[in-house]
Amino acid sequence: MAAEEAREAAMKEFDGQYLLIVDGSIPTKDGGVYSTIAGRTNLDMLQEAAKGAAAIVAIGSCAAFGGIPHANPNPTGAVAVSDIIKDKPIINVPGCPPIPVVITGVLTHYLTFGTIPELDDKGRPLSFYGDSIHDRCYRGRSTTRASSPSVSTMKAPANGWCLFELGCKGPTTHNACATVKWNQGVSFPIESGHGCLGCSEPDFWDAGSFYTALSMPADPVKYTAAAAVAGAAIGVAVSYANRSKKAAAKTAHQPATLADLEKKP
Ligand code: SF4
């Protein structure tokens, strides 16, 4: 009750001036009943609080893009702040979880300059999300890629091998993990030996296996099963088509080749 009174008092005193910070996605199904605070739906509270805000900061991948609650089949109808609020500037600070230094950096920018930082096409501040993880990854200097989970476990972390073949989504993920890092600069997931999951990109949870390399088809089992149930002649045709699909997928989704990695400074 005290927290709600403080929020309402702040909204009244600083009407039109305050920065609204939202954490979490917003359930919309059945009137938003799947998430409530003090008896009110989050949907209702967001719409009310947004009216008097100068701008909104959507903290975390849930608030920015819907996150895991938004993942298929999304039983609560969870959506991002930007799916509901259309008439206010929104700064997305995704990450699952978001990096604390990035959060404070964005808030400090607004408090210092009174302006919204320059954003990319997904509403993320370019100063933190302008480069991909891969652009800044120290493993990009490695000329050796780990090629199987056992190799990764045994050698890749110690040797600093690139984790691309083990499913690292660093080439298609934009965030500051490789520069700011975590725990006051101690480390980040790739430095600890695990590929990037792509958590600061929209719909990362539905984007296929975390352990499938970007150059491979998302579901190789599906291709194999389709060929098995078809007749011999059809099977040959399907197999040929699948090889073409795989080749196309490799071309379309492989943003970096080993040669590219070796060129990295
Ligand atoms: S693909 Fe390799 S170099 Fe790129 S981010 Fe992943 S581990 Fe780093």
Side-chain angles (χ1 to χ4, degrees), residues 2-181:
E4 291 306 307
E5 288 176 355
R7 179 180 63 81
E8 289 167 5
M11 286 168 51
K12 188 174 181 182
E13 183 176 352
F14 301 102
D15 186 39
Q17 305 172 56
Y18 58 80
L19 201 56
L20 176 63
I21 299 173
V22 181
D23 176 31
S25 57
I26 302 94
T28 59
K29 192 175 178 183
D30 299 328
V33 298
Y34 299 106
S35 185
T36 61
I37 298 174
R40 295 181 61 192
T41 66
N42 293 171
L43 177 61
D44 182 36
M45 293 177 73
L46 172 63
Q47 290 171 325
E48 179 194 62
K51 282 180 186 165
I56 301 172
V57 184
I59 301 285
S61 290
C62 291
F65 302 136
I68 294 174
H70 179 74
N72 185 40
N74 190 3
T76 66
V79 299
V81 173
S82 59
D83 291 321
I84 297 170
I85 306 301
K86 302 293 186 183
D87 59 349
K88 298 286 180 179
I90 298 175
I91 308 168
N92 284 330
V93 184
C96 190
I99 301 174
V101 170
V102 173
I103 297 172
T104 51
V106 170
L107 298 180
T108 301
H109 176 103
Y110 187 81
L111 294 173
T112 303
F113 301 109
T115 60
I116 305 295
E118 193 178 356
L119 307 176
D120 70 5
D121 62 349
K122 295 182 176 69
R124 303 173 295 195
L126 277 171
S127 51
F128 295 108
Y129 297 87
D131 292 323
S132 71
I133 302 293
H134 178 78
D135 286 336
R136 300 286 181 172
C137 179
Y138 75 104
R139 287 180 188 257
R141 289 192 287 273
S142 169
T143 57
T144 307
R145 289 190 194 182
S147 56
S148 73
S150 59
V151 170
S152 170
T153 302
M154 298 302 294
K155 294 182 178 177
N159 292 344
W161 289 359
C162 172
L163 304 173
F164 183 91
E165 301 290 353
L166 302 183
C168 180
K169 305 300 186 289
T172 54
T173 303
H174 295 78
N175 205 339
C177 302
T179 45
V180 172
K181 301 188 180 180

